Amino acid sequence: MNTGNAELGTTGAGPGPADAAPEEHPIAPYVRMDRMPHIWCPTCGIGTVVKCFATALGETGVDLDKVAVVSGIGCTGRVAGYMKLDGFHTTHGRAIPFATGLKLGRPELHVTVFSGDGDLVGIGGNHFIHAARRNMDLLVILVNNFIYGMTGGQNAPTTPLTAKTSTMPFGNFERPFNLAHLAASCGASYVARWTCLHVRQLTWGLKDAIQRRGFRFVEVIAPCSTLYARLNKLGTGFNLMQFYHDNAEVRHGADTREVDIGFQDKIVCGKFVDDPRPTFLEMMDEHYRKILGDKYVPMPPAGGFIPDPDSCGNPDPNRHRDGAAASPRGPTP
Amino acid sequence: MRADPAGVLTGVHYLDGDFACGEGAMAAGCRFVAGYPITPSTEVVERIARRFPRMGGTFVQMEDELASMAAVVGASWTGTKSMTVTSGPGFSLMMENIGLAVMMETPCVVVNVQRGGPSTGLPTMVGQADMMQARWGSHGDYELIALCPQSPQEAFDLTIDAFNLSEQYRVPVLVMMDECVGHMTEKVIVRPAEDIEVVPRRLTAAPRGEFQPYRVDGRPVPEFARAGDGYRFHTTGLTHDERGYPVMNAECQEKCVRRLVDKIRGSAEQIVRFEEEGTEGADIVVVCYGITARVARLAVHLARERGVKAGVLRLVVVWPFPEQRIRELARHIRAFVVPEINYGQIVLEVERCAAGQAAVVPVPHGGGGVHDPSAICQSILRAAQ
């Protein structure tokens, strides 16, 4: 388990006698350690968000077998491949609709979308607003580094005014999204923002969000030292963390109209919206029950999978349906 | 296994092709449909939206066709049989996520009720011009399966077959209807559930720690694990190894994509399906599919009355293409005549397989209507001279 990876701190060199067995990193059970080292740059903020999410999952005690993570494309898009959960690395911008299919196909799942700003509100913006409108039961963790990282630092719909990107070499003149306000005004039932510096608050916020229902949006401002900081001469990831320290302001319940992020301007953080309202599935169930009464047959929590009744009378869906093609590695029913 | 009776509307009905397609999906065990309204396909999902709440199915109208296709791929990973329905412009928007379904080996069904194109084209009128898009529309190299019903009865039957093939080969299967078949109303017989054979999703029995989502052990397709069953697997649209982990090199690409292509190519002779009428000893064989097959039959009848030995080969499965049969016929006949409601798509495949051994005569139609049978007949007569 000792990968020596700086981002996740998996050095195993904890306190204690030198000959002690290497200590497992606290989030190792949640991460595909066989895929370490990851592809993220030194001082990138994404790993911090992964750590906070894994910690939050552990503290909530949610059944990890029922947690699915869906990512789109980009730096943060790689999260689904690193979490030791059912993980889906999908197409650019389509993590939210893919996740919607997972949730509606098996309503008992806790589905988390973990992706970046370009993916979720650039190419995928239409899905973001509609999932919020429907109050689709998804936790959306958006890592906002203000830039397209994977492709080399192009302008994003979140790039602050005047910030330089590789496609806005003279500075950005497009007004960026205020994502918290976008989510809130579309109907998200939970909206929060933290930075990668706020590890305790972020962990607490993710725990808070995991335990709620509906469309929950957590934006995390993350340093991109390789591109955003370099193109804007902001120093390293460390300098950005210092900037968050000096300029982040926690204001729970802030009016989301007032939480825009300007270039090197203050970053308002906190839980802005916590307004539980019926989710898509709850609305649908209630409506059909009212209209159709006993004739309504909801999809079971375990999903619309129809097991083969002739298959040895075994209702366990984990068993093979077809003895002839059974796995050589597993028991044949 | 036998069909779940909850989805089977046993009886003799008078249905249009769109409704029949929807009934076929429900009979096949489809319990998740995502779609976006588009003429002339919308009746399929309207039918399903009305019936699903009584059988444990969920229909969701998504914000666009990109979302519809992505949701279908997601839902299928829960083991729920899933489908979307569209027409030309929406089909274009679905292409990227059809490729995702191919790469992730996700069983699903996509219905395209073809209208005239390109672009917005003829929304309410017939076309058959998406046949090559069905084969090649998503980027990269891949193989999939496409079926072409010629009647509402076949819209029902072939939609069930589409689900079964998608389960068997873990590939998206396209039902390439056309507006005429979609909007034509005819008798549709829905057999009792116990007479409808459906292929269930085959779930892995591997112990949790040992399961690898793309390990095949010599089989053409890997075993399936549902999201939420505790396997904690990873899947990606990136080139991947047997663990489903991305591997960016030429060797892994060769292994990963080669198998995706070979699982269909290697079984092509089992998948291809066509019907022949009067091809024995024929000089001219008309190759056709969908609504055009019904017009072509009349044309062949007219040509036979004029003394031409003409027959019909109707494609039921269009992709994979029945290469072997076309090659055989090419050795014995004078010409293939290929009417289709486009300016020449499937005729290219016929030409490729005929390889110069028989003449190949296209009979194009731009869309907005079906061929005049006499136009096809004239082509048959000219080819026979």
Side-chain angles (χ1 to χ4, degrees):
Chain A
M1 285 303 174
N2 186 346
T3 65
N5 187 284
E7 179 66 31
L8 287 167
T10 51
T11 59
D19 59 348
E23 202 180 332
E24 191 180 58
H25 190 279
I27 69 157
Y30 305 89
V31 174
R32 296 185 190 278
M33 298 304 283
D34 55 345
R35 289 206 61 202
M36 297 295 120
H38 54 67
I39 64 162
W40 297 315
C41 307
T43 78
C44 169
I46 300 168
T48 307
V49 190
V50 170
K51 163 84 163 55
C52 294
F53 178 58
T55 308
L57 281 177
E59 289 180 5
T60 51
V62 60
D63 179 1
L64 296 179
D65 286 349
K66 301 286 182 244
V67 178
V69 176
V70 184
S71 294
I73 297 296
C75 296
T76 314
R78 294 304 186 103
V79 170
Y82 293 136
M83 301 293 300
K84 201 191 283 174
L85 299 165
D86 288 334
F88 299 90
H89 183 218
T90 65
T91 44
H92 197 17
R94 316 304 158 205
I96 285 177
F98 190 104
T100 298
L102 275 176
K103 180 66 191 176
L104 298 183
R106 189 163 188 174
E108 67 184 356
L109 294 179
H110 301 269
V111 183
T112 297
V113 171
F114 210 134
S115 215
D117 47 313
D119 187 71
L120 288 174
V121 296
I123 187 169
N126 197 30
H127 314 308
F128 182 87
I129 60 176
H130 284 280
R133 172 181 66 79
R134 295 184 182 108
N135 203 23
M136 191 56 70
D137 204 356
L138 302 173
L139 167 59
V140 176
I141 302 171
L142 182 150
V143 179
N144 182 0
N145 56 10
F146 304 130
I147 206 159
Y148 280 81
M150 184 73 87
T151 46
Q154 294 80 19
N155 215 69
T158 49
T159 305
L161 272 171
T162 75
K164 285 184 180 149
T165 60
S166 68
T167 47
M168 287 279 196
F170 307 105
N172 174 36
F173 53 81
E174 282 186 20
R175 207 180 136 182
F177 270 135
N178 170 352
L179 295 181
H181 188 50
L182 178 70
S185 58
C186 291
S189 57
Y190 185 99
V191 179
R193 178 195 285 157
W194 298 102
T195 78
C196 279
L197 184 78
H198 296 85
V199 285
R200 285 193 193 83
Q201 294 93 328
L202 175 58
T203 305
W204 167 83
L206 289 171
K207 234 171 90 177
D208 195 27
I210 288 166
Q211 288 166 330
R212 281 154 211 280
R213 299 190 315 278
F215 189 86
R216 293 144 291 159
F217 175 59
V218 179
E219 178 185 13
V220 189
I221 307 300
C224 168
S225 64
T226 304
L227 291 155
Y228 186 73
R230 185 170 55 80
L231 291 169
N232 289 289
K233 300 190 168 46
L234 301 175
T236 66
F238 175 79
N239 298 98
L240 286 174
M241 295 292 258
Q242 183 72 47
F243 178 81
Y244 301 158
H245 178 264
D246 298 340
N247 294 278
E249 183 188 317
V250 178
R251 260 166 52 200
H252 293 299
D255 184 338
T256 55
R257 284 173 297 187
E258 292 161 9
V259 300
D260 289 88
I261 301 175
F263 182 58
Q264 293 299 92
D265 196 2
K266 73 168 189 301
I267 300 170
V268 180
C269 295
K271 178 159 85 171
F272 304 138
V273 176
D274 186 0
D275 177 20
R277 63 181 181 95
T279 67
F280 175 91
L281 280 171
E282 288 165 351
M283 296 277 285
M284 185 175 86
D285 279 342
E286 195 193 319
H287 183 70
Y288 282 148
R289 271 185 219 290
K290 203 166 83 190
I291 303 290
L292 297 174
D294 294 345
K295 288 185 182 132
Y296 175 48
V297 181
M299 184 182 282
F305 170 72
I306 301 171
D308 184 353
D310 307 332
S311 174
C312 313
N314 175 12
D316 178 1
N318 288 326
R319 307 300 290 278
H320 224 283
R321 303 278 147 234
D322 179 356
S327 163
R329 303 186 303 282
T332 303
Chain B
M1 70 180 220
R2 305 284 169 262
D4 173 14
V8 183
L9 198 67
T10 301
V12 179
H13 306 277
Y14 188 55
L15 293 178
D16 74 12
D18 282 358
F19 280 2
C21 169
E23 288 299 333
M26 292 182 279
C30 175
R31 293 295 178 268
F32 179 80
V33 170
Y36 184 82
I38 186 166
T39 305
S41 75
T42 315
E43 294 91 331
V44 182
V45 295
E46 286 172 347
R47 180 84 176 188
I48 288 169
R50 186 163 278 275
R51 303 235 302 121
F52 255 7
R54 298 162 210 253
M55 67 180 78
T58 297
F59 165 71
V60 57
Q61 183 174 321
M62 296 301 284
E63 50 274 13
D64 57 32
E65 287 90 347
L66 301 150
S68 301
M69 190 63 217
V72 161
V73 183
S76 182
W77 277 97
T78 68
T80 306
K81 291 188 182 178
S82 304
M83 176 174 89
T84 185
V85 183
T86 191
S87 188
F91 198 49
S92 293
L93 292 181
M94 288 178 180
M95 282 301 152
E96 188 187 7
N97 287 299
I98 289 174
L100 180 70
V102 169
M103 196 61 154
M104 287 182 165
E105 299 188 70
T106 313
C108 57
V109 171
V110 179
V111 178
N112 176 359
V113 186
Q114 295 174 86
R115 64 194 220 185
S119 188
T120 315
L122 298 169
T124 62
M125 301 167 92
V126 68
Q128 289 184 315
D130 305 345
M131 300 308 297
M132 279 296 177
Q133 186 185 21
R135 175 66 189 85
W136 299 108
S138 197
H139 56 279
D141 252 325
Y142 61 96
E143 294 273 349
L144 45 59
I145 299 171
L147 309 168
C148 248
Q150 63 164 352
S151 65
Q153 180 68 56
E154 264 199 359
F156 176 82
D157 294 333
L158 293 189
T159 303
I160 297 173
D161 293 346
F163 274 97
N164 289 345
L165 288 163
S166 80
E167 295 296 333
Q168 197 176 343
Y169 294 100
R170 284 189 61 175
V171 72
V173 176
L174 313 177
V175 179
M176 299 298 289
M177 283 224 279
D178 54 62
E179 184 274 338
C180 269
V181 170
H183 283 166
M184 133 196 314
T185 302
E186 287 184 341
K187 183 165 85 172
V188 175
I189 298 170
V190 176
R191 287 159 283 146
E194 59 266 29
D195 295 340
I196 297 175
E197 188 63 26
V198 301
V199 177
R201 184 71 51 92
R202 293 197 176 82
L203 304 182
T204 183
R208 288 180 180 191
E210 292 177 25
F211 175 70
Q212 296 190 342
Y214 295 100
R215 184 162 151 187
V216 286
D217 291 324
R219 294 178 303 258
V221 294
E223 296 185 324
F224 189 88
R226 302 190 300 167
D229 278 350
Y231 285 96
R232 302 192 197 173
F233 61 88
H234 177 56
T235 178
T236 173
L238 287 166
T239 296
H240 48 264
D241 63 14
E242 294 179 333
R243 298 169 299 174
Y245 290 2
V247 178
M248 301 294 100
N249 62 42
E251 291 73 34
C252 190
Q253 170 78 359
E254 163 65 15
K255 205 173 163 196
C256 172
V257 184
R258 168 74 69 183
R259 188 176 60 73
L260 295 182
V261 168
D262 282 354
K263 73 176 176 180
I264 303 299
R265 284 190 189 166
S267 302
E269 288 308 313
Q270 286 91 64
I271 300 169
V272 293
R273 204 190 319 167
F274 48 83
E275 282 177 5
E276 296 187 33
E277 277 173 46
T279 49
E280 189 70 41
D283 287 329
I284 308 293
V285 170
V286 178
V287 179
C288 50
Y289 54 92
I291 189 62
T292 308
R294 299 177 68 157
V295 184
R297 261 186 229 107
L298 176 55
V300 166
H301 177 75
L302 295 173
R304 282 176 169 261
E305 281 182 347
R306 307 266 203 103
V308 176
K309 282 194 264 175
V312 172
L313 186 149
R314 177 174 77 93
L315 304 170
V316 179
V317 170
V318 176
W319 304 115
F321 192 72
E323 300 179 356
Q324 202 172 302
R325 183 58 186 149
I326 297 291
R327 279 199 199 100
E328 282 165 12
L329 283 169
R331 285 198 289 271
H332 305 295
I333 68 169
R334 185 180 290 196
F336 292 103
V337 171
V338 189
E340 45 186 343
I341 308 176
N342 59 53
Y343 291 108
Q345 297 194 9
I346 294 302
V347 68
L348 301 175
E349 279 295 286
V350 178
E351 225 166 58
R352 179 176 70 81
C353 298
Q357 299 217 6
V360 179
V361 180
V363 189
H365 187 304
V370 297
H371 289 77
D372 183 334
S374 65
I376 303 174
C377 181
Q378 284 305 316
S379 296
I380 296 171
L381 296 178
R382 271 199 301 275
Q385 278 168 12

